[in-house]
Amino acid sequence: DAKTTQPNSMESNEEEPVHLPCNHSTISGTDYIHWYRQLPSQGPEYVIHGLTSNVNNRMASLAIAEDRKSSTLILHRATLRDAAVYYCILNSGAGSYQLTFGKGTKLSVIP
Amino acid sequence: KAGVTQTPRYLIKTRGQQVTLSCSPISGHRSVSWYQQTPGQGLQFLFEYFSETQRNKGNFPGRFSGRQFSNSRSEMNVSTLELGDSALYLCASSFPGTHEQYFGPGTRLTVT
């Protein structure tokens, strides 16, 4: 399985943008990049996914490098509710639900 | 729309016993996946069911099994419980052909 590398932890001030990086140098041409987050004492929550182009939704933006070997999840204005572990996951496509979670990045938001 | 529900939320069992956990997916979702989360191993995929058939299986011993019913509800069973089976068991459901998985709150299993 293609693997991802994320920093163990990051900090952000409330109401400031947050850029969460993910390296995936062995990504294959058919791998989608998914982001999930897990708030304390909850199950993971889908955030966003993309293949080649940058993607935006109501929760976040996903910026994908041109060579697809890295990507960045962007939270435009961090709130206390965004404090969570963020997981960057490669998955082979729609209808494929065998996710391989790494250790993720623990994001702390400072009021 | 109601989210994924899992019952029970908490469970304490003794080594050697067996346990059955239940998951009700979001209405219309036909794929149900199960994951185990422990502090040491993190989140690990157990298996996925679609239309009552196991479609994918992770690297877990045969003591871990599951099934899916015609209404897409799913159960997982762990037999001959070991202390190492203490974990949060998460269920996720998906609508056919989409990317997103929707997770339930999990069942916290403690084996003593």
Side-chain angles (χ1 to χ4, degrees):
Chain A
D1 288 340
K3 295 203 182 300
T4 63
T5 304
Q6 300 177 252
N8 290 333
S9 62
M10 290 184 64
E11 272 187 0
S12 173
N13 293 318
E14 197 177 8
E15 298 189 7
E16 289 190 356
V18 183
H19 291 235
L20 296 163
C22 180
N23 287 318
H24 28 78
S25 58
T26 59
I27 190 171
S28 77
T30 56
D31 282 336
Y32 283 77
I33 302 156
H34 289 235
W35 284 82
Y36 282 77
R37 71 180 185 181
Q38 188 172 21
L39 279 66
S41 303
Q42 294 188 27
E45 174 186 31
Y46 166 83
V47 177
I48 201 167
H49 75 273
L51 183 62
T52 56
S53 305
N54 295 345
V55 184
N56 301 296
N57 67 19
R58 64 174 180 80
M59 288 181 69
S61 296
L62 176 59
I64 301 173
E66 199 169 326
D67 63 6
R68 302 212 322 129
K69 294 186 176 182
S70 66
S71 60
T72 302
L73 179 71
I74 303 165
L75 307 179
H76 295 287
R77 256 177 99 247
T79 69
L80 297 178
R81 196 197 171 276
D82 292 321
V85 178
Y86 286 78
Y87 297 97
C88 170
I89 301 166
L90 301 182
N91 202 28
S92 59
S96 172
Y97 302 122
Q98 184 171 351
L99 298 181
T100 300
F101 286 82
K103 296 196 181 302
T105 297
K106 183 173 182 179
L107 175 67
S108 301
V109 179
I110 302 165
Chain B
K1 195 184 261 191
V4 176
T5 57
Q6 294 187 243
T7 56
R9 293 292 312 279
Y10 302 92
L11 203 50
I12 301 175
K13 289 287 190 179
T14 304
R15 265 182 305 176
Q17 288 185 315
Q18 74 165 17
V19 67
T20 299
L21 311 181
S22 181
C23 172
S24 292
I26 292 171
S27 177
H29 288 194
R30 290 167 56 197
S31 169
V32 173
S33 299
W34 289 89
Y35 293 82
Q36 180 196 66
Q37 186 171 27
T38 61
Q41 298 298 318
L43 269 155
Q44 294 185 284
F45 172 80
L46 278 158
F47 29 66
E48 182 219 348
Y49 285 86
F50 180 80
S51 293
E52 302 179 66
T53 301
Q54 187 180 88
R55 195 157 66 169
N56 288 296
K57 188 177 191 307
N59 189 23
F60 278 82
R63 300 186 297 106
F64 292 81
S65 62
R67 59 177 177 168
Q68 186 180 33
F69 302 95
S70 59
N71 62 358
S72 294
R73 192 177 69 85
S74 178
E75 290 180 347
M76 68 163 283
N77 184 279
V78 188
S79 61
T80 320
L81 283 165
E82 301 176 358
L83 294 179
D85 297 332
S86 294
L88 180 67
Y89 290 89
L90 292 154
C91 161
S93 75
S94 307
F95 191 81
T98 63
H99 286 267
E100 304 85 354
Q101 288 194 44
Y102 295 85
F103 284 79
T107 294
R108 172 75 62 186
L109 172 65
T110 302
V111 182
T112 62

